[in-house]
Amino acid sequence: MDKPANILLVEDNRMDVELTLDAFKEAKLLNTIYVSPNGQDALDYLFGNGKYADRNTYPMPSLVLLDLKLPGVDGFEVLRQVKTAPILKRLPVVILTSSKEEGDRALSYDIGANSYLVKPVSFDGFLGVVKKIEGYWLSLNVAPPENNL
């Protein structure tokens, strides 16, 4: 990639947000990370609604890191809306959750998740996950062509 990718982190737990942001900083990754604290805010961001209408200020992310257990609109519904919207369906969505439940994993993939990662407990674990996300999703992976609908 020519420039660092924009990432949308959808996470309601402030500690997990800080842990993720600190891991990106520690890994010296230059990605811009936008944080949505709940599912509705994430959908507004992704669809460019309300305060997110200005794509110069709030650019479309290259990757979404999505927690499943969110207040109000949960991660499954965010994923469902992203993967059924023609303009968003190619956007890579990586589930980043504390849930190890087989049902959550199966449903995530059934709806269209591109990957499912269980949040590590330690900072070193988060750092390793962040490096792997960057290494694969933002470096090795060839992004799909943009939908220009």
Side-chain angles (χ1 to χ4, degrees):
M1 293 192 116
D2 296 340
K3 61 181 183 169
N6 295 312
I7 298 170
L8 179 62
L9 173 63
V10 186
E11 175 60 67
D12 66 317
N13 182 308
R14 193 70 201 146
M15 295 286 289
D16 286 348
V17 168
E18 292 302 320
L19 200 57
T20 305
L21 296 177
D22 287 348
F24 268 87
K25 185 177 178 183
E26 177 76 20
K28 298 180 178 27
L29 301 179
L30 303 176
N31 307 90
T32 301
I33 301 175
Y34 298 88
V35 178
S36 282
N38 60 62
Q40 186 58 57
D41 186 77
L43 290 171
D44 288 344
Y45 187 107
L46 292 167
F47 285 99
N49 295 332
K51 67 181 182 179
Y52 298 116
D54 180 2
R55 283 294 181 207
N56 289 323
T57 304
Y58 302 102
M60 184 60 74
S62 301
L63 179 69
V64 176
L65 300 176
L66 177 64
D67 188 21
L68 293 177
K69 311 297 184 188
L70 299 167
V73 177
D74 68 13
F76 295 111
E77 183 58 24
V78 172
L79 181 61
R80 191 174 286 110
Q81 288 194 37
V82 167
K83 293 303 180 176
T84 58
I87 198 163
L88 296 175
K89 68 182 178 183
R90 294 180 182 167
L91 178 63
V93 178
V94 173
I95 303 301
L96 185 58
T97 184
S98 55
S99 175
K100 295 179 183 179
E101 294 178 35
E102 187 175 327
D104 286 348
R105 191 173 71 243
L107 182 56
S108 295
Y109 281 119
D110 287 348
I111 297 171
N114 298 93
S115 185
Y116 190 101
L117 304 173
V118 177
K119 293 176 191 173
V121 178
S122 70
F123 179 75
D124 286 340
F126 251 94
L127 184 58
V129 166
V130 161
K131 286 179 179 180
K132 288 176 181 158
I133 288 170
E134 194 281 332
Y136 180 77
W137 287 106
L138 304 175
S139 295
L140 292 176
N141 185 55
V142 178
E146 289 186 29
N147 277 339
N148 294 321
L149 301 177

